[in-house]
Structures are given as structure tokens and as C-alpha cells.
Amino acid sequence: MQSLCLSASARVRVSIPGPTSPRLARSLSPAEWAPEIPMGSVRRSAPLCCTRGLQEASALDNETYSLINSIEVREWESGKSIDDIAANQGIRIRRHPSTNTPRNILEKIIWDKVIEVSELKKEKPLTLVKETLADAPPARDFVGALKASYERNGVPALIAEVKKASPSKGVLREDFDPVEIAKAYEQHGAACLSILTDEKYFQGNFKILEAVRKAGVQCPLLCKEFIIDSWQIYYARSKGADAVLLIAGVLPDIDIKLMTMECRELGLTALLEVHNERELDRVLNIDGIQLIGINNRDLETFEVDNSITKRLLEGERGEIVRKKGIIVVGESGLFTPDDVSYVQNADVKAVLVGESLIKQNDPGKAIPGLFGKEILQLLTMHLV
Ligand SMILES: O=P(O)(O)OC[C@@H](O)[C@@H](O)c1c[nH]c2ccccc12
């Protein structure tokens, strides 16, 4: 997203929503805050424009304008903290530790991620990341690849995950050659790949993402990361990601709205991950969402229950998903053709599979075993 500013003329920039709204300040890097006018002088009713100037104000600016005037920002300005806003939306993960003991593993991962990202941002501020965007390989159409694969094969499109380890299962594969695995997945019909980039808990990293892309793999790539800050979205794109994961159990609505807008600007697909009805309802209320993942694994307890996908897509919610043309991905805990048919019958058009493939001697050759048949490779390159 361009720097947000209020402007009397295109040359006078005032950052919004001002010092009383640290949340948006966090989304935009300090480098983007315009220094010319004291923060206190911001009037919320003033017209909004981007640094591009008034004449060039785009649809995104209008969208941003309504967003910053939205309820969440008002609540923020009236003194609510991000954790209060999140808790009101049913989010149990707290962003700012109030005690030294995280309530569960996901909260611990998020607290560590907050520290990690703040250090990375110091090393490489957003303005520098943005400068490298032009060198990134062009973004590929993640959703297009899923749809094409589903139509071609009649079974859910496969997003095959390149993951060395996980906090719930430990090391999944000692002999881990991510590029070879990625190539094998593609050869055996994966529509897209998911690359874990979290180092501390999943033993992944961004070099893997870059290496897979550079090795000539054509499948669109999902950057599987715990995103808590817009900086990470720009960084993921600069490293060649075509899609990013946004976890509704971690991110309040205001973050999801801002981040999906940023993704659109960058040509990235946002995969919105939900695990319960409330999260799905929140995501369905946000415009412009194309792809929702239902995680059968509860990231707070690691329990896996495939019936979650079915339960969430039953009745009215399923109707809304269909009407909006949203593609649903069934995530985690899928091991057999029966598991795949079960989620397919719940109306899932894609599956995200890690463990059951990566643990096999030959992860690529394990794909037909998962679907009960060979699935065809898509040779077309999907560029956005
Ligand atoms: O290995 P599995 O059970 O097939 O799961 C894959 C994927 O769904 C899982 O890794 C995952 C889903 N959502 C996440 C969020 C963060 C880290 C990992 C994940």
C-alpha cells in the first residue's frame, strides 16, 4: 500500500490516523509517516489521498478511506487496545504479553514472531524491501491454478507443503531437500506449493522459497508464515511468494482488511485460514476474499478433526461461500483417498497436505496414493 496521508494539497502530507492510532502506525513503517505536519493536527474528516496525489486517487484510496473511518479505528482511538479489539472478535491469541506465560503454543509462536519481525524491520525497513520488489519474479495466479486443476482432475487441487518439521510432530523428514521435493510434487500434479518459512518452529526459511522459484518450479507458491505485520507481506512478495497465509485466529478484522488490500496491490493471493464458525463468519463479512482455508488442526491444542471442514460448510455458511464464489481449501490431517473425498463432499475444491506426503520415501510418488489416482500436471504458467 502506498503511504496513507491526509492532504489539503497533494504536496502536504499528514499521516493518519495519528499518534493515537498505533495499530495503523504499526502497519505502515515509520519511514512512511510524513513529517511535515504535527500529528496532533490531523482531522479525521479530511479527504484522504495517497502520496501519488489527489488526481491519481484510485479505488483503493476510497476503500482505504472507509477503512480508516471504520469502527475498529474509532474504537482504537477511544482507547481500546489491540488485544481488547481482538478479544471482542473472539480472538484468544494476545499480541502483547501481559504475563510471561503464553497460554498455548500458537500464542508463544506469535509472541516470538513479534520480536523476530521487529528485528528484521530494523535490519531492512519497508522502504528498502519495497525497492527490491521490482526484482522479484512476477506473481502467479494461485487461485487460477487451483481452479484449473480442480476442473481438470475432478478431485480437489493439491497444495503440497514443503515442511521439514512442526511443533506438533517434530522433525518430519531428516533427509530434507526442499527443491527436490518441490520438483517432485509439481511433476506428480500438485497445483500449488506451500513453503514453510518460519525457522524456529518449522525449520523453514525464505531461502527455500527463493530456491524453489529459482529452480524453475512453475507452481504458484504460498508463503506459509505467521503474519502479524504488513512488512512480512511485502517481504514475502520480494522473495517470490505468490500467496500468503492470514490466520483469522490471530488477526483482528482491521488487520485482515488492510492486509488483503495490500495483497491485492502486490498481486498476491491471501489465503484466509479459519478454524471455527466465528472466524468463518468474520472472514465472510470482509469484501474481496477469494480463498478460505479451513484448518482441521486447532493450532492452540494441535487436535485434528476433519469434520470441522464439513461442519463449517454446512447450511447458510456454505451457501454464502458458494454465492461469493470463494474457493475453500481443506487443510491438515489428510492421509487417505477417503479423507480427500470426505472434504470434497463438504464442497472443498483444494486440499493443503504436508505430513502424509513429506514423510513418504518419495513424496512425489505418494500423491496418487493420497487421491486414489494419478492427477495430471498443469503445464500452463499462471501469471497474474
Ligand atoms: O501436515 P498436515 O497435517 O497435512 O498439515 C498441512 C498444513 O495444513 C499445516 O501445516 C498448517 C495449516 N495451517 C498452518 C498454519 C501455520 C503452520 C502450519 C499450518
Side-chain angles (χ1 to χ4, degrees), residues 161 163 172 196 202 224 226 245 247 273 295 297 299 331-335 352-356:
E161 189 152 276
K163 148 167 100 170
L172 296 164
L196 255 305
F202 291 85
K224 197 63 150 354
F226 294 87
L245 182 78
I247 304 177
E273 180 172 299
N295 196 354
R297 180 176 292 114
L299 291 176
E331 297 182 2
S332 309
L334 304 172
F335 287 84
L352 173 53
V353 182
E355 182 185 343
S356 68

Side-chain angles (χ1 to χ4, degrees), residues 105-106 109 113 161-173 176 195-205 208 224-226 245 247 295 297 299 302:
I105 180 72
L106 180 57
I109 293 175
K113 196 54 78 179
E161 189 152 276
V162 179
K163 148 167 100 170
K164 174 160 187 185
S166 76
S168 58
K169 301 285 168 87
V171 174
L172 296 164
R173 191 179 180 89
F176 183 71
I195 313 277
L196 255 305
T197 52
D198 174 78
E199 280 197 57
K200 183 161 183 191
Y201 295 92
F202 291 85
Q203 298 191 29
N205 59 60
I208 298 178
K224 197 63 150 354
E225 187 42 89
F226 294 87
L245 182 78
I247 304 177
N295 196 354
R297 180 176 292 114
L299 291 176
F302 294 146

Side-chain angles (χ1 to χ4, degrees), residues 66-324:
S66 14
L67 184 58
I68 58 159
N69 280 293
S70 68
I71 273 289
E72 295 99 321
V73 175
R74 282 170 200 274
E75 278 180 337
W76 193 292
E77 292 195 333
S78 70
K80 281 199 173 179
S81 74
I82 180 155
D83 286 336
D84 292 336
I85 294 173
N88 274 342
Q89 293 171 12
I91 297 168
R92 289 188 298 270
I93 303 303
R94 296 157 302 166
R95 191 69 63 85
H96 300 294
S98 51
T99 64
N100 286 328
T101 323
R103 284 191 198 128
N104 53 54
I105 180 72
L106 180 57
E107 196 164 76
K108 171 82 176 112
I109 293 175
I110 296 303
W111 290 3
D112 286 346
K113 196 54 78 179
V114 169
I115 296 167
E116 180 189 317
V117 172
S118 75
E119 278 159 12
L120 288 170
K121 280 169 82 171
K122 272 186 224 145
E123 269 168 42
K124 196 166 185 182
L126 185 59
T127 38
L128 288 187
V129 177
K130 282 183 173 177
E131 280 168 19
T132 61
L133 285 175
D135 304 328
R140 286 154 204 244
D141 182 359
F142 199 87
V143 172
L146 296 179
K147 284 183 178 164
S149 173
Y150 180 74
E151 277 157 27
R152 208 166 147 133
N153 289 301
V155 290
L158 174 64
I159 307 170
E161 189 152 276
V162 179
K163 148 167 100 170
K164 174 160 187 185
S166 76
S168 58
K169 301 285 168 87
V171 174
L172 296 164
R173 191 179 180 89
E174 287 291 351
D175 149 37
F176 183 71
D177 182 338
V179 170
E180 280 317 302
I181 295 168
K183 283 182 177 167
Y185 281 155
E186 177 167 76
Q187 246 170 35
H188 288 89
C192 298
L193 303 179
S194 162
I195 313 277
L196 255 305
T197 52
D198 174 78
E199 280 197 57
K200 183 161 183 191
Y201 295 92
F202 291 85
Q203 298 191 29
N205 59 60
F206 278 93
K207 287 197 185 99
I208 298 178
L209 187 73
E210 283 183 302
V212 168
R213 180 50 83 232
K214 281 194 184 133
V217 169
Q218 298 197 3
C219 290
L221 305 179
L222 169 70
C223 168
K224 197 63 150 354
E225 187 42 89
F226 294 87
I227 291 187
I228 39 107
D229 190 299
S230 296
W231 181 91
Q232 294 165 281
I233 296 177
Y234 287 88
Y235 189 70
R237 177 79 276 277
S238 76
K239 297 289 174 189
D242 305 299
V244 290
L245 182 78
L246 301 178
I247 304 177
V250 169
L251 300 168
D253 293 356
I254 182 85
D255 274 335
I256 295 178
K257 289 174 190 171
L258 279 166
M259 288 176 175
T260 49
M261 279 163 49
E262 285 163 334
C263 285
R264 275 200 290 283
E265 267 226 327
L266 291 169
L268 280 172
T269 298
L271 169 60
L272 266 298
E273 180 172 299
V274 301
H275 179 66
N276 57 39
E277 283 83 354
R278 181 139 189 214
E279 289 171 8
L280 179 56
D281 289 343
R282 284 176 45 219
V283 166
L284 290 177
N285 270 320
I286 295 173
D287 286 337
I289 305 288
Q290 291 180 284
L291 193 61
I292 292 179
I294 300 181
N295 196 354
N296 294 316
R297 180 176 292 114
D298 183 334
L299 291 176
E300 295 179 33
T301 62
F302 294 146
E303 263 167 50
V304 178
D305 175 1
N306 292 353
S307 71
I308 288 173
T309 297
K310 184 165 181 279
R311 204 182 75 208
L312 261 58
L313 291 176
E314 271 164 0
E316 212 187 319
R317 292 186 181 87
E319 278 301 304
I320 300 173
V321 166
R322 275 185 289 280
K323 264 197 209 132
K324 289 191 158 202

